[in-house]
Amino acid sequence: MSTINIGINLQDREHIANHLKRLLADSYTLYLQTHNFHWNVTGSQFRELHLMFEEHYNELALAVDEIAERIRTLGFAAPGTYRAFVELSSIEEVEGVPEAGKMIEILNQSHETLVRTSREALKAAQAADDESSAALISDRMRVHEKTAWMLRALRD
């Protein structure tokens, strides 16, 4: 592969890529969590939650591709195994099938975790003057903040 000369030195690109790997792992873990809840939600809010969770996991499916491609653009391999995601992710796996209200609470917490992960990654991108990564991360942060707000609004 030829040398990457995009105005960001190797050390900074690696630092940003490592943050993006955590963002990717959290995003993929949340994708799986949301898809699981989409399949298994029951109760009086079934239709609303089933459809909402589907919207969320579809949006996350696109997001993980963008994040992985940015890691590759910076010159590093994107993680792509469950083992790598477990090691990198800040989001805990859920045991069993929680009731709908607990699903909402768990997803809210996971989206808020992604906001925090995004904030750390954004600092690294901004410090290296990496506007492309910063824009991607900022967009992701905005999506997760809004989704967390919407999930909080569902609580009884």
Side-chain angles (χ1 to χ4, degrees), residues 30-94:
L30 179 55
Y31 165 83
L32 290 172
Q33 190 178 76
T34 305
H35 214 150
N36 175 26
F37 291 172
H38 164 79
W39 290 326
N40 291 301
V41 68
T42 59
S44 61
Q45 291 182 295
F46 167 78
R47 180 167 172 70
E48 176 185 1
L49 294 177
H50 182 75
L51 295 174
M52 182 179 67
F53 295 165
E54 183 175 11
E55 289 173 11
H56 292 177
Y57 76 70
N58 283 330
E59 193 279 331
L60 284 160
L62 297 173
V64 296
D65 197 51
E66 287 184 27
I67 297 164
E69 288 175 356
R70 184 62 194 163
I71 295 167
R72 294 296 300 141
T73 299
L74 292 171
F76 298 92
T81 65
Y82 292 123
R83 179 174 294 155
F85 290 148
V86 167
E87 290 173 7
L88 291 166
S89 183
S90 304
I91 296 175
E92 299 286 325
E93 271 194 78
V94 176

Side-chain angles (χ1 to χ4, degrees), residues 1-10 13 72-76:
M1 191 166 171
S2 61
T3 302
I4 298 172
N5 184 9
I6 59 173
I8 305 168
N9 69 49
L10 175 62
R13 283 188 288 114
R72 294 296 300 141
T73 299
L74 292 171
F76 298 92

Side-chain angles (χ1 to χ4, degrees), residues 76-152:
F76 298 92
T81 65
Y82 292 123
R83 179 174 294 155
F85 290 148
V86 167
E87 290 173 7
L88 291 166
S89 183
S90 304
I91 296 175
E92 299 286 325
E93 271 194 78
V94 176
E95 294 294 325
V97 179
E99 53 89 20
K102 186 67 174 172
M103 288 178 178
I104 293 167
E105 181 183 326
I106 291 167
L107 290 173
N108 176 63
Q109 291 169 358
S110 294
H111 280 278
E112 288 179 349
T113 296
L114 261 157
V115 171
R116 293 189 302 276
T117 300
S118 296
R119 287 192 190 287
E120 290 302 312
L122 184 60
K123 289 176 192 174
Q126 289 172 332
D129 199 27
D130 179 0
E131 185 59 37
S132 296
S133 293
L136 170 65
I137 296 162
S138 180
D139 288 347
R140 295 307 317 145
M141 187 166 42
R142 196 168 27 259
V143 167
H144 295 295
E145 286 174 340
K146 184 175 182 179
T147 304
W149 160 61
M150 291 183 170
L151 289 165
R152 285 191 305 271

Side-chain angles (χ1 to χ4, degrees), residues 7-25:
I8 305 168
N9 69 49
L10 175 62
Q11 182 180 357
D12 286 342
R13 283 188 288 114
E14 184 174 24
H15 184 64
I16 296 162
N18 286 338
H19 279 283
L20 288 171
K21 289 176 183 183
R22 292 187 184 290
L23 183 61
L24 177 61

